[in-house]
Amino acid sequence: MFRGSHELTLDNKGRLAIPAKFRDALSRDFDTQRIVATLDSRDRLLFYPEGEWEKVEQQLLSLNVKGKPNLQLYQNLLLHNAETLELDSAGRVLLPQNLRRLVNFDKDVMLVGRVNRLELWGLEQKMAETEKALSIDPDELDFDLSQTDLQL
């Protein structure tokens, strides 16, 4: 499983060095060196181990999008931008130019583990999102959490 986050830099060719901890999880937990990258928003890319992506892909294809233009657009965004990437011998992946062109970040990035997937954020966007989370009113958060089954 993928956990933790790493500040990284894309090289001049658009390659991303996947940290050893994530490479190990990819091999050990998912038995692959192939990931599928797709566009989720202008702020981040999603990386799934190939087998996990196939599950997500089936869920996306099963969505009832008839008469729901936003769901249709989101389904298309994920499916039409999905690219299979293979780690090279140095543990890097080359981010396709079409994906790099569509996100709002350049070289400084943060790769975040999210159990069955990785998220690639622009460093500034991720730091802003973290700051926003840290600024949540504690009483409001306590109330919202009390409406769930989450036990921390």
Side-chain angles (χ1 to χ4, degrees):
M1 298 298 147
F2 301 116
R3 295 181 181 90
S5 58
H6 296 271
E7 290 183 28
L8 303 166
T9 303
L10 297 176
D11 71 12
N12 291 334
K13 295 180 181 179
R15 292 177 299 197
L16 176 70
I18 304 295
K21 168 174 136 173
F22 290 153
R23 291 193 316 267
D24 292 345
L26 193 60
S27 293
R28 180 186 63 244
D29 299 333
F30 301 102
D31 194 29
T32 188
Q33 290 297 300
R34 295 165 59 100
I35 57 176
V36 177
T38 192
L39 183 66
D40 175 62
S41 70
R42 291 211 181 268
D43 290 333
R44 69 180 181 183
L45 297 175
L46 303 179
F47 294 168
Y48 285 92
E50 193 170 41
E52 291 296 303
W53 171 253
E54 290 168 359
K55 296 174 195 174
V56 171
E57 193 172 47
Q58 288 307 308
Q59 290 175 22
L60 287 166
L61 290 169
S62 297
L63 276 177
N64 177 11
V65 298
K66 187 173 182 174
K68 300 172 186 168
N70 287 340
L71 278 180
Q72 176 74 61
L73 288 169
Y74 187 65
Q75 178 192 55
N76 289 344
L77 181 71
L78 291 168
L79 292 172
H80 295 176
N81 290 289
E83 297 274 353
T84 301
L85 311 176
E86 185 131 12
L87 276 71
D88 68 14
S89 61
R92 300 172 301 192
V93 292
L94 176 63
L95 298 180
Q97 182 63 36
N98 63 311
L99 293 179
R100 285 186 281 148
R101 200 173 31 247
L102 292 168
V103 291
N104 287 331
F105 54 82
D106 202 13
K107 291 186 176 229
D108 295 325
V109 295
M110 185 173 288
L111 189 60
V112 180
R114 184 95 188 238
V115 185
N116 72 330
R117 73 176 188 220
L118 297 166
E119 298 177 354
L120 185 65
W121 292 74
L123 184 58
E124 287 182 26
Q125 291 91 333
K126 184 58 181 156
M127 297 307 284
E129 193 251 1
T130 299
E131 191 56 43
K132 186 176 178 181
L134 290 171
S135 299
I136 295 172
D137 179 277
D139 293 331
E140 288 180 28
L141 180 58
D142 284 344
F143 176 78
D144 289 345
L145 287 171
S146 74
Q147 306 300 304
T148 72
D149 294 330
L150 182 63
Q151 300 289 317
L152 296 177

